[in-house]
Amino acid sequence: RRIDRLYQLGRYEDCLVLYRKLLERNPADLALHKAYNSLLYRLGRMDEFLASYDRAPQTREILLGKAHFLSLQKRSDEVGAIFNTLLARDPLDIAAISGWANNLMALGRHQEALTALESVLARPSATPGVFSAAASAALMTGDPQRAEFLCQSGLRLAPFDQTCLALLGTAWRLKGD
């Protein structure tokens, strides 16, 4: 790709110009938004950082992409607003519920996060990641027994899931097992 070559040559402004042109033609391309904003962040161009997401169609994927960047910056209020928007559109959206719960965890609201995550655990589309996030929340609320159960449930879906295995070990240590 031309952008990769320009980047390797240190021609970052040319990369940004090309990203902008590509985004004008493909405003809903999540990969382009991610790459463009990653470069803006590395260059310290905070005046432009994340603005491309606001110019794009406000699809679920675009909003989730922006929320990811905002969560890395610990901009919890903005993250919460995005997940509230997504949940207003679809209250059963597992990605939105998980993201909202992760934001609650970042705010230290562990019990609320656990409750939110447990609301989706019985669904067939629940992933090991949801179980491990719920187990993490359970550990933070001081319930290693619940965390153990959640990890074991996640491991039934993916027996070698590293996060579930690690949290299971933590739960056992907290239980003195």
Side-chain angles (χ1 to χ4, degrees):
R1 288 181 28 188
R2 184 170 181 215
I3 289 177
D4 294 333
R5 297 293 174 248
L6 291 170
Y7 185 84
Q8 291 169 352
L9 294 169
R11 295 174 51 189
Y12 306 124
E13 285 302 317
D14 292 334
C15 291
L16 293 174
V17 168
L18 190 50
Y19 274 128
R20 287 184 200 109
K21 286 180 184 177
L22 291 170
L23 283 167
E24 283 177 24
R25 280 189 257 154
N26 305 299
D29 189 320
L30 188 59
L32 279 175
H33 284 281
K34 183 177 180 180
Y36 174 65
N37 284 286
S38 292
L39 180 57
L40 286 172
Y41 185 80
R42 287 191 306 273
L43 296 174
R45 302 279 291 269
M46 302 314 281
D47 56 321
E48 298 173 63
F49 182 61
L50 302 181
S52 70
Y53 284 104
D54 297 332
R55 291 187 296 271
Q58 298 299 286
T59 65
R60 174 183 180 269
E61 291 73 23
I62 290 293
L63 291 173
L64 287 171
K66 183 177 181 182
H68 173 73
F69 273 112
L70 290 169
S71 67
L72 292 175
Q73 293 190 300
K74 306 209 183 310
R75 293 165 60 177
S76 296
D77 290 342
E78 293 166 88
V79 172
I82 288 174
F83 287 121
N84 285 333
T85 297
L86 289 170
L87 290 169
R89 291 181 188 176
D90 180 4
L92 302 177
D93 184 335
I94 288 182
I97 292 169
S98 296
W100 184 60
N102 287 335
N103 192 48
L104 291 172
M105 289 283 289
L107 294 170
R109 295 164 54 185
H110 309 296
Q111 186 59 54
E112 290 174 74
L114 179 58
T115 301
L117 290 164
E118 286 183 328
S119 73
V120 298
L121 292 176
R123 293 191 205 155
S125 55
T127 64
V130 175
F131 282 94
S132 64
S136 180
L139 287 172
M140 296 303 289
T141 63
D143 190 350
Q145 184 75 28
R146 183 74 181 141
E148 176 184 19
F149 172 79
L150 292 164
C151 289
Q152 289 172 339
S153 298
L155 290 169
R156 279 193 281 288
L157 296 174
F160 302 107
D161 183 84
Q162 294 297 294
T163 306
C164 284
L165 288 169
L167 291 169
L168 181 60
T170 301
W172 285 340
R173 280 194 305 277
L174 289 172
K175 289 174 52 181
D177 185 345

